[in-house]
Amino acid sequence: MSSDPDKMMSKADKMTKLTLTRWSADWRGATELYEQAANGFRASNKYEKAKVALEKASKGQEMQASPWDAAKHMESAAALAQKLSIWNEVADFYRKASELYTECGRAQPASDALGKAARALEDVKPDDAIQLYTDACEILEEDGRDQMAFDLYRACANVYIKLEKFTDAATFFLRLGVAADKCDATNSQCKAYLSAIIVYLYAHDLKQAEKCYNDCSQIDAFLKSDQSRSATRLLTAYNEGDIEEIKKVASSSTVSNLDHSIIKLARKLPTGDVTPIQMNTNDDLDEDDLT
């Protein structure tokens, strides 16, 4: 048999088409050829052709009722689409892979596929990345695997921060806190709640930060934590206009153990005049705040 991947593709395509002399498609034989062609194209750096071959190999595995292998091929096609900067295909292929993994009853790889898509799109299509992260979280939540979603919650919150959508970012940290509570992951829970409070403070919303603190303090584990004590010190310092205390808390070891994006926000506190009247308004952020 020829080792020319183009000839393999042509032969495989013929094997999937019905003719007067071929009454049924040979998906097994065609899929093997598509897979071999994909390897050949990749070896010669013909990524566009390799991507097409993998799409067809995935379809072939589907036709043989092998959704797991079909999903693997779609992920490989998605990775090549990323290499080629074809961003809509990156999202579409990883979503298809996720659906195929779901068909196998495998929530973790289904979520992972969406997470890979989201990471690939964070800088070029951040809104799409947020939706992908959200969907990836929901797959794990529905499967009772909340603990496996912690990194996804954080990643999504960080994209919201980059977009300066601070309320949404805080909401995702609070979702992380709820998920951590279900898993008895007290440290992650308390860090998530302090992170949400810092996000509100960075956005000049003392009132919401205080409400968030009061809500979180209904949970005994948070109330007794170092993170709660740091939040109390921050809120007290804001109400008293004590800028030095704000900076001291922001540089503390408790805050330094939070996500990098939250540490960066904390180091820039206060972002406005520290008076209750000023902080209770939703002033627009300075353009330089995130630089």
Side-chain angles (χ1 to χ4, degrees):
M1 184 174 61
S2 171
S3 61
D4 182 338
D6 285 304
K7 288 180 179 176
M8 289 181 190
M9 291 291 288
S10 179
K11 184 175 180 180
D13 287 343
K14 287 176 183 174
M15 294 167 76
T16 64
K17 290 181 173 63
L18 304 184
T19 66
L20 290 173
T21 56
R22 186 186 296 111
W23 294 3
S24 62
D26 180 5
W27 280 106
R28 182 176 178 180
T31 301
E32 288 178 2
L33 287 172
Y34 287 138
E35 290 167 347
Q36 290 173 33
N39 290 335
F41 286 134
R42 272 194 290 207
S44 55
N45 297 328
K46 294 178 180 177
Y47 299 124
E48 176 64 41
K49 287 187 173 184
K51 175 176 65 69
V52 172
L54 285 164
E55 287 180 75
K56 292 187 174 186
S58 178
K59 172 70 172 176
Q61 292 291 359
E62 266 196 277
M63 296 302 289
Q64 296 175 82
S66 299
W68 178 269
D69 292 318
K72 286 291 185 186
H73 287 323
M74 284 310 299
E75 284 203 86
S76 296
L80 289 177
Q82 182 178 350
K83 201 177 190 75
L84 295 163
S85 300
I86 308 174
W87 303 115
N88 61 316
E89 288 190 351
V90 172
D92 290 346
F93 292 172
Y94 274 124
R95 275 200 181 279
K96 178 63 175 175
S98 179
E99 290 166 9
L100 289 163
Y101 284 129
T102 299
E103 198 177 311
C104 301
R106 301 293 296 275
Q108 187 66 59
S111 174
D112 289 345
L114 296 184
K116 289 174 188 174
R119 282 188 289 279
L121 296 176
E122 272 192 21
D123 294 329
V124 290
K125 292 183 130 185
D127 289 327
D128 289 356
I130 284 169
Q131 187 59 57
L132 287 158
Y133 277 133
T134 302
D135 293 346
C137 289
E138 288 174 356
I139 287 173
L140 293 175
E141 288 170 354
E142 288 168 11
D143 199 55
R145 301 167 68 88
D146 299 74
Q147 189 157 10
M148 304 305 294
F150 288 5
D151 287 342
L152 295 168
Y153 290 118
R154 293 189 189 99
C156 193
N158 289 338
V159 178
Y160 274 128
I161 287 171
K162 288 179 188 174
L163 295 176
E164 300 187 23
K165 294 183 176 180
F166 298 109
T167 299
D168 291 321
T171 298
F172 248 80
F173 278 118
L174 292 173
R175 279 184 67 175
L176 168 56
V178 171
D181 187 37
K182 289 182 191 174
C183 309
D184 294 323
T186 304
N187 190 45
S188 293
Q189 178 183 14
C190 295
K191 287 165 73 171
Y193 291 155
L194 176 57
S195 296
I197 291 164
I198 288 171
V199 169
Y200 283 128
L201 290 175
Y202 183 85
H204 299 198
D205 197 341
L206 179 61
K207 185 176 181 181
Q208 193 60 44
E210 289 176 329
K211 181 181 183 305
C212 181
Y213 172 77
N214 290 334
D215 289 345
C216 294
S217 293
Q218 302 303 310
I219 297 162
D220 202 43
F222 177 69
L223 194 59
K224 296 175 179 177
S225 69
D226 290 340
Q227 289 80 12
S228 174
R229 284 187 281 278
S230 292
T232 302
R233 287 175 61 194
L234 271 176
L235 294 170
T236 301
Y238 264 90
N239 281 306
E240 293 177 355
D242 189 343
I243 292 175
E244 287 308 310
E245 176 67 0
I246 292 169
K247 293 188 177 300
K248 189 183 295 184
V249 178
S251 300
S252 68
S253 59
T254 301
V255 172
S256 296
N257 282 322
L258 301 177
D259 286 358
H260 181 64
S261 62
I262 298 299
I263 296 169
K264 282 178 69 177
L265 297 189
R267 296 288 191 267
K268 293 176 181 177
L269 295 177
T271 48
D273 293 336
V274 187
T275 64
I277 295 174
Q278 178 71 22
M279 297 304 294
N280 279 341
T281 63
N282 286 312
D283 296 336
D284 292 334
L285 294 178
D286 294 333
E287 289 182 2
D288 296 334
D289 279 343
L290 282 177
T291 57

